């Protein structure tokens, strides 16, 4: 910690020093054991007095009825616990790809993460997704190889895949003692001790013993690997290493912490959360190697008035700044706004400022959340995560600060929905309740969108997958007491330009008195996939006054959103506004907006439009005897096999890319083809051109 970071000023009213606070997320592929791990952490930290389990629907963190029924995490849940003088704020995130936004917004406000890997499944598709999300926000990671008690457990195999698949530098700091049914505990590589756990006390006591000869050989090899790796990335260790000396354990831990925070290494631990073995050493690793808010130090944002970049520092005595990362409807207290404080202190009744709306807001009650249980607090300090009641015009990603010292923190980006269905109330009396419920759910979930189809008048809801929309409809019934009829799922296609084109468009309307006049000439140029939409002003000589350029751009973007060929959004193109003219009396912003919209539609038709469809990456684990049938099924769905990996215990992994439109009902199909033994997961990969014959069928339906 550099000397300037000593002066961050803590409030004497703090319960735990800022340097001992850890804000962490538990993230992983579905069914790797995240929620089970969080339940054990809460038990060993004394937060819970009995152990909850996802298997029997008693997990504290999976508090929604849908989560308990399905045994999966749907919404990220926040809690706080204490371990050896440290305060650990934990967010348990979902593993299912349909709820990736929950992971995204959690990682935005977390300082560190524990990535959980199944010792048998190793690095799975969603493991890769959450790893990329963590890297996007620069979040340091500890890896936990969980389920070491399972048949086929392979600790070293997971470490090797973290290196090969994720491009990370894993360093085991806790090695497993035994595996499968013989898994008994872990070897603390740096301390040179064996830690055993007993089922008699639910693993509550760590039984520390000296290493056996066999364990000592393992520990020495892993210890040498740690020293060697740290010598490559840390100057302090390098100096001692070059003198043929071994640095003290405390120095090695400090160096390992520095390397972890810099993203140069990933400490790896082993556990079986379900069997209550190895959780306490992981808690030690969290306190040793993951960052406190002080390590983050520089909080970057922009001045909402000038757009200039500004930097804040952590500390209770700094000007207040916080980021709202999640909104939830609570049946007892109304809307809960989850926020992370980066600097300053929040107090009940305090007035804060929202730079996005330019309005003042007032904190009503401040709540420390423990899943869905609430603990009222008078103050929330710098570096903490809490929830507020009483805010009004606030949405996910908004900054809250002081009007006298404003800052706009970096917000969050969320993926676009890929699947839509039409929804209508079962009775006309439920129409208002349905609208109210949908709007409340859309406010909570940025990847859930609602719009009306102008042609049919239907309400269309869009989400990240079939399960996502299924949960939304289930919540409408349970929480808002409204039942709805739904249409068949529809894929959210995109439209793309085939070539460059130009349009010269005038919008002229004379209706007695003052008329309307807008004229622009534009070029449209297709861009590569994922490039987005850019509009460039190339008008010279003042042929179009500057104040009319933005309305033209707005017209272009609105026209692109509503589509040209089949009503799907046009993506990945560049528009150059090259020329035009105006009338000193009849020109106005609306006329140029209409001219921009008309010009884009005209140019797009000249350029030619093709449909793009979402392609999903599907990873399938199948018994060897069913592999042929399942590969044949993927091929019949226009899928392409990317990789086939021989697994263990008679199972094979198949990686494929398949159009989303062909995957409806896929879960039922693979169950019947494999007699319920095959499992799969999928995540959005990219958009791809729709084959001509398929495009014709889609357009016929439209």
């Amino acid at each position: 910690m550099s000397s300037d970071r000593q002066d961050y000023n803590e409030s004497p009213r703090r319960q735990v020093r800022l340097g001992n606070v850890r804000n962490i997320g538990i993230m992983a592929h579905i069914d790797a054991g995240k929620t089970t791990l969080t339940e054990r952490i809460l038990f060993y930290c004394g937060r819970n007095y009995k152990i909850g389990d996802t298997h029997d629907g008693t997990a504290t963190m999976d508090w929604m009825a849908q989560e308990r029924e399905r045994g999966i995490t749907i919404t990220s849940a926040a809690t706080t616990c204490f371990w050896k003088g440290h305060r650990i704020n934990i967010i348990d995130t979902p593993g299912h790809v349909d709820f990736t936004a929950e992971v995204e917004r959690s990682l935005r406000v977390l300082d560190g993460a524990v990535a959980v890997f199944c010792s048998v499944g190793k690095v799975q598709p969603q493991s890769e997704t959450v790893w990329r999300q963590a890297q996007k926000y620069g979040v340091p990671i500890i890896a936990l190889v969980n389920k070491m008690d399972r048949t086929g457990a392979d600790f070293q195999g997971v470490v090797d895949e973290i290196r090969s698949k994720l491009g990370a530098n894993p360093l085991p700091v806790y090695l497993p003692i035994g595996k499968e049914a013989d898994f008994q505990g872990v070897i603390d590589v740096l301390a040179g001790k064996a830690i055993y756990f007993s089922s008699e006390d639910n693993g509550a006591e760590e039984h520390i013993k000296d290493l056996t000869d066999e364990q000592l050989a393992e520990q020495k090899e892993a210890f040498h690997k740690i020293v060697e790796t740290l010598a490559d990335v840390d100057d302090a260790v390098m100096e001692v290493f070059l003198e043929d000396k071994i640095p003290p354990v405390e120095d090695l831990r400090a160096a390992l912490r520095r390397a972890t925070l810099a993203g140069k290494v990933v400490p790896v631990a082993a556990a079986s959360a379900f069997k209550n073995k190895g959780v306490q050493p992981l808690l030690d690793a969290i306190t040793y190697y993951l960052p406190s808010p002080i390590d983050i130090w520089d909080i970057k944002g922009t001045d909402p008035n000038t757009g200039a970049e500004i930097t804040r520092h952590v500390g209770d005595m700094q000007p207040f700044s916080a980021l709202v990362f999640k909104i939830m409807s609570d049946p007892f207290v109304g809307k809960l706004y989850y926020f992370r404080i980066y600097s300053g202190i929040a107090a009940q009744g305090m007035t804060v400022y929202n730079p996005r709306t330019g309005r003042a807001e007032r904190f009503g009650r401040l709540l420390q959340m423990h899943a869905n249980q609430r603990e009222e607090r008078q103050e929330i300090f710098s570096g903490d995560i809490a929830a507020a009641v009483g805010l009004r015009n606030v949405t996910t990603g908004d900054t809250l600060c002081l009007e006298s010292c404003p800052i706009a923190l970096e917000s969050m980006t969320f993926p676009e929905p890929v699947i839509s269905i039409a929804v209508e109330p079962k009775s006309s009396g439920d129409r208002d309740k349905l609208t109210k419920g949908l709007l409340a759910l859309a406010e909570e979930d940025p990847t859930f969108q609602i719009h009306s189809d102008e042609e049919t008048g239907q309400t269309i809801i869009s989400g990240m997958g079939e399960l996502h929309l299924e949960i939304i409809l289930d919540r409408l019934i349970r929480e808002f007491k409204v039942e709805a009829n739904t249409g068949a799922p529809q894929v959210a296609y995109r439209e793309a330009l085939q070539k460059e084109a130009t349009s010269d468009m005038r919008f002229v309307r004379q209706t007695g008195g003052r008329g309307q006049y807008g004229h622009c000439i534009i070029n449209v140029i297709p861009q590569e996939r994922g490039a987005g939409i850019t509009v460039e002003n190339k008008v010279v000589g003042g042929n179009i006054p500057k104040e009319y350029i933005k309305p033209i751009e707005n017209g272009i973007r609105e026209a692109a959103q509503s589509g040209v060929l089949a009503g799907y959004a046009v993506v990945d193109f560049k528009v150059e506004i090259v020329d035009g003219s105006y009338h000193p009396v009849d020109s106005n912003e609306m006329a140029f907006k209409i001219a921009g919209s008309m010009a884009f539609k005209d140019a797009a038709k000249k350029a030619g439009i093709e449909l793009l469809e979402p392609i999903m990456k599907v990873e399938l684990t199948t018994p060897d005897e069913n592999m042929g049938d399942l590969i044949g099924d993927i091929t019949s769905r226009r899928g392409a096999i990317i990789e086939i990996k021989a697994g263990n215990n008679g199972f094979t992994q198949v990686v494929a890319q398949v159009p989303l439109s062909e995957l409806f009902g896929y879960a039922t199909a693979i169950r019947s083809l494999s007699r319920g033994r095959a499992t799969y997961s999928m995540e959005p990969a990219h958009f791809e051109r729709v084959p001509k014959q398929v495009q014709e069928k889609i357009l016929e339906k439209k």
Side-chain angles (χ1 to χ4, degrees), residues 258-447:
R258 289 192 294 271
T260 304
L261 299 193
K264 293 175 180 173
V265 301
V266 174
V268 184
S272 166
F274 184 57
K275 293 292 176 70
N276 311 312
K277 293 173 182 174
V279 178
Q280 294 95 323
L282 173 70
L283 283 164
D284 290 336
I286 289 167
T287 62
Y288 290 148
Y289 309 121
L290 288 183
S292 77
I294 303 168
D295 294 303
I296 308 306
W297 194 240
D298 285 336
I299 303 152
K300 296 192 183 301
T302 54
D303 186 320
N305 300 318
T306 65
E309 189 173 293
I310 50 178
T311 303
R312 288 267 167 88
H313 299 304
V314 302
D316 297 334
M317 306 309 170
Q318 294 286 327
F320 175 76
S321 65
L323 187 77
V324 176
F325 67 95
K326 181 179 168 74
I327 298 171
M328 258 185 61
S329 295
D330 186 291
F332 302 104
V333 297
K335 280 205 183 79
L336 283 173
Y337 297 83
Y338 285 75
F339 62 95
R340 153 80 191 264
I341 300 185
Y342 284 93
S343 59
I345 299 174
Q348 278 199 13
M350 174 176 160
T351 299
V352 292
Y353 176 70
N354 183 345
R356 182 183 62 83
T357 61
R359 292 183 180 181
E361 297 279 348
R362 188 173 173 276
F363 284 132
R365 294 162 65 195
L366 293 176
L367 304 169
Q368 190 76 60
M369 300 302 294
H370 178 50
N372 64 332
Q373 297 162 23
R374 300 166 296 279
E375 179 188 321
E376 195 138 346
R377 295 269 301 275
Q378 294 300 312
E379 290 181 308
I380 306 291
F381 297 97
S382 172
D384 276 348
I385 292 170
V389 180
L391 303 177
R392 291 282 177 264
N393 299 302
V394 174
T395 62
T396 301
D398 278 359
T399 300
L400 299 176
C401 57
L402 299 179
E403 192 167 2
S404 58
C405 202
I407 185 172
L409 302 172
E410 182 194 351
S411 190
M412 292 161 258
T413 53
F414 296 104
E416 286 290 312
V418 295
I419 183 170
S420 304
I421 58 172
V423 59
E424 60 182 31
K426 284 198 170 174
S427 66
S428 56
D430 281 345
R431 191 169 299 280
D432 288 345
K433 280 164 69 180
L434 176 67
T435 304
K436 185 180 174 185
L438 289 174
L439 290 172
L441 293 170
E443 192 174 16
E444 284 184 24
D445 184 350
T447 57

